[in-house]
Amino acid sequence: MKHHYFYRSLATVGLLLTVVGFSGAQAPVITAVVPMANAGSVAPTAPLTVSFSQPLAAGSAAALQVFSSQRGGLRTRAVPATVSGNTLSFAPTAFSYQPGEVVQYSVTTAAASSSGALARPQVGRFAVATGGTGAGYFAPAAATAVGNQPQGLAVGDLDGDGDQDCVTANNLDSNLSICLNNGNAAFAAGATIALPGQPLAVALGDLDGDGDLDLVTSYPPGAQPGGVQVMFNNGAGVFGSPTTGRLGNVSAYPLTLALGDVDGDGDLDVLLADSQVQALSVLLNNGAGSFAAAATNIRMWNPPFGLVVGDFDNDGDLDAAMSAGNGAYEIVLLLNDGRGGFQVGSTLPTPGGSYRVLADDLDGDGDLDLVSTNYFQAIVHFNDGTGQFAAPVRLTLAATNNLVVADVDHDGDSDLVTISQNSSSITVLLNNGSGSFQAGPSVFGRHGVMQVLAGDADGDGDLDLFYTTNTPVSEVHLLLNGPRPGLGTTATAAAANWRLTPNPATSSCLLTGVTSHAPVQLLDALGRSVLMATADAAGTARLALPAGLAPGLYLVRSGGRSQRLLVE
């Protein structure tokens, strides 16, 4: 049975972490984190609460740092975390998290009690719930001209006005194009930032901890040695000049960038896949956007193409996974020692090679799985929770070369959207919640599709698609997510009539006003599935409560909406 892990209130969800060797005389240890690590469908206003074995000192508030990937950067900059007894918590009161975004957090060793400080930092992430009426059926919208050969793409609120902007890394023009959203999914070409090399990738993150999204880009050798440069945001989408020279000793051909707190000190570090040196390059941040003079290079035996970070072995730090497309076709896991030191771990075969690798909880069991793609297929590896992965599951596709993981039908699980550069087809693979995928809607975009990302471009709560093209012209295109054709206003009317009766309930209840034939799920306080039902053609589902179900507060969920149910 599928288990969804998501958060609605402090009273309804929690995860008790194993505490090893604790006694009252020792320093504090973390006993629970809400929402759970790697949780999906977390409410946009949900607080993050970390519980400890002992009361914390007031100065421990700075130990919790929360990073948004799409708006506001370091969220605990403007509204710091608070300490109350044994708990350390943060709530996004200034503004909500963005639909579908991944939020990262760090609990540093600044957390302390009268007995001492936390011995080991803990880093985690969760994904925010989507909503709206989008069901993964996409329609073309705006297109904006950018520089030549937009090799890299990043999406986030650059100017702090609450909508999703984007930036492209234009390889042949040696610059970045800033595209600002007017709030209605119409984009205007903004500033162009010249670079000393031809960029291959771009990422957004708050590298200096001032509460906005900065830019970091990588480029191969040309007029200058290949490397990484940072441009700091002034909060209004205006970026300073690229940092002088390159960061660290990052070498020749950094294809892919990733940002994450790999040493647990509460700031975002930079990681790169360097295909020429055949290494994972790690640049540690001092918290103000200054990086170590020399990168740490963890050598590989094949040139890496893709890179993703995540806690794959569930030990509270960020590991890395790198995909290789030449030589031995595989994904290589690199395990973190908790302080930013990596060692090569196991390898996962990827028949035919892999050029892009992503991490998400695809089967709803609370750990991060991996999915990669080459020109012929997507390949899924399911995690057992300890960083050991099952044999690859192949999803045969028509000449795919890129993909994105996103909940495009807002049913609480992660779907796949694949891109074919040659045929310009964009195909949705819908997840049944357990990591089994069915071909969903398809749409044809412009030729020469290069990169694709998901974000709520029009502010309606569901995830739209941004993609770049280089043929016949270089542009950023937008595909807006909408309901399944034929539903029209019926779906909207049904949503307005979403009702659960009786509530409180004893043996059964009816949910009305949901989408026809939609799945309905009842979850307990730990996010575990209690029962599943399916709505009829009229949008009504009967929930027959299991015999002996313990009284208490439960959650009924369907189609991206939820409602509490009190069982008596």
Side-chain angles (χ1 to χ4, degrees):
M1 179 178 292
K2 175 189 173 184
H3 290 187
H4 271 304
Y5 293 90
F6 62 96
Y7 178 84
R8 296 297 174 190
S9 72
L10 289 178
T12 59
V13 180
L15 170 65
L16 185 63
L17 302 178
T18 302
V19 179
V20 180
F22 167 70
S23 68
Q26 293 178 340
V29 294
I30 297 173
T31 59
V33 178
V34 178
M36 308 166 82
N38 305 322
S41 292
V42 173
T45 57
L48 172 65
T49 300
V50 184
S51 299
F52 292 80
S53 58
Q54 301 171 16
L56 297 177
S60 298
L64 179 58
Q65 302 293 339
V66 180
F67 288 90
S68 168
S69 60
Q70 290 191 343
R71 186 184 180 194
L74 179 60
R75 297 296 304 270
T76 42
R77 166 78 178 209
V79 182
T82 58
V83 174
S84 178
N86 292 45
T87 63
L88 184 58
S89 61
F90 166 78
T93 53
F95 47 87
S96 303
Y97 297 124
Q98 296 295 295
E101 76 166 319
V102 173
V103 177
Q104 299 188 61
Y105 60 86
S106 301
V107 185
T108 73
T109 55
S113 70
S114 59
S115 300
L118 182 69
R120 179 186 172 98
Q122 182 160 316
V123 178
R125 56 164 261 177
F126 58 83
V128 180
T130 61
T133 61
Y137 291 82
F138 294 95
T144 305
V146 295
N148 197 6
Q149 194 86 3
Q151 188 83 19
L153 173 67
V155 171
D157 182 10
L158 300 176
D159 53 2
D161 61 356
D163 51 45
Q164 296 296 295
D165 311 304
C166 66
V167 56
T168 64
N170 309 313
N171 183 262
L172 295 185
D173 281 351
S174 297
N175 62 23
L176 304 178
S177 294
I178 307 296
C179 300
L180 299 178
N181 192 342
N182 69 356
N184 294 314
F187 291 82
T192 297
I193 302 174
L195 296 172
Q198 296 177 298
L200 297 168
V202 64
L204 295 175
D206 191 355
L207 297 175
D208 55 0
D210 63 352
D212 52 44
L213 297 176
D214 306 308
L215 294 171
V216 57
T217 187
S218 64
Y219 54 89
Q224 293 190 12
V228 178
Q229 291 191 316
V230 174
M231 288 130 281
F232 294 108
N233 194 345
N234 71 352
V238 178
F239 294 87
S241 299
T243 50
T244 302
R246 55 188 181 141
L247 300 182
N249 64 344
V250 176
S251 191
Y253 221 85
L255 283 176
T256 311
L257 283 168
L259 304 180
D261 184 7
V262 297
D263 54 358
D265 63 352
D267 53 47
L268 295 180
D269 307 304
V270 177
L271 297 88
L272 304 102
D274 192 322
S275 67
Q276 185 162 320
V277 176
Q278 299 183 191
L280 170 70
S281 295
V282 180
L283 287 161
L284 297 179
N285 191 349
N286 72 350
S290 294
F291 293 82
T296 301
N297 291 321
I298 298 91
R299 301 286 177 170
M300 316 291 290
W301 47 88
N302 282 300
F305 286 82
L307 167 67
V308 66
V309 296
D311 185 6
F312 299 114
D313 53 2
N314 286 318
D315 63 352
D317 54 43
L318 288 182
D319 310 306
M322 302 177 72
S323 60
N326 291 336
Y329 297 141
E330 60 193 8
I331 295 173
V332 180
L333 293 176
L334 298 102
L335 299 180
N336 193 344
D337 63 5
R339 302 291 181 179
F342 290 86
Q343 289 189 346
V344 175
S346 59
T347 59
L348 311 176
T350 55
S354 57
Y355 300 100
R356 181 170 171 82
V357 61
L358 299 172
D360 208 293
D361 182 10
L362 299 176
D363 53 2
D365 63 353
D367 53 49
L368 291 178
D369 309 304
L370 292 168
V371 58
S372 63
T373 185
N374 54 37
Y375 289 111
F376 308 103
Q377 61 194 342
I379 303 170
V380 179
H381 296 265
F382 292 108
N383 192 348
D384 69 357
T386 67
Q388 300 297 313
F389 291 81
V393 177
R394 304 187 192 188
L395 305 175
T396 302
L397 302 165
T400 184
N401 66 299
N402 214 325
L403 67 96
V404 66
V405 179
D407 182 8
V408 297
D409 56 357
H410 64 82
D411 63 351
D413 52 44
S414 296
D415 310 303
L416 303 179
V417 181
T418 67
I419 295 289
S420 171
Q421 183 174 12
N422 295 332
S423 66
S424 68
S425 63
I426 299 168
T427 302
V428 176
L429 300 176
L430 296 175
N431 193 344
N432 71 350
S434 299
S436 180
F437 296 89
Q438 293 183 342
S442 294
V443 63
F444 284 91
R446 294 290 295 269
H447 283 286
V449 175
M450 299 192 70
Q451 297 291 335
V452 60
L453 288 175
D456 183 11
D458 52 3
D460 62 354
D462 53 43
L463 293 180
D464 311 303
L465 297 178
F466 298 72
Y467 71 93
T468 61
T469 62
N470 68 341
T471 305
V473 292
S474 295
E475 294 175 320
V476 172
H477 291 259
L478 186 63
L479 295 172
L480 294 180
N481 197 349
R484 181 160 54 91
L487 289 181
T489 57
T490 303
T492 304
N497 295 323
W498 217 82
R499 188 178 182 190
L500 188 63
T501 56
N503 190 4
T506 54
S507 59
S508 66
C509 62
L510 286 179
L511 178 63
T512 58
V514 299
T515 302
S516 300
H517 307 296
V520 178
Q521 192 172 31
L522 179 69
L523 300 110
D524 67 10
L526 293 178
R528 298 174 299 192
S529 180
V530 174
L531 65 87
M532 294 287 295
T534 302
D536 60 21
T540 299
R542 182 177 183 273
L543 303 180
L545 304 181
L549 186 66
L553 195 61
Y554 293 79
L555 200 68
V556 177
R557 190 172 192 281
S558 180
R561 298 194 61 185
S562 61
Q563 184 172 334
R564 294 180 184 179
L565 172 67
L566 181 61
V567 175
E568 295 182 331

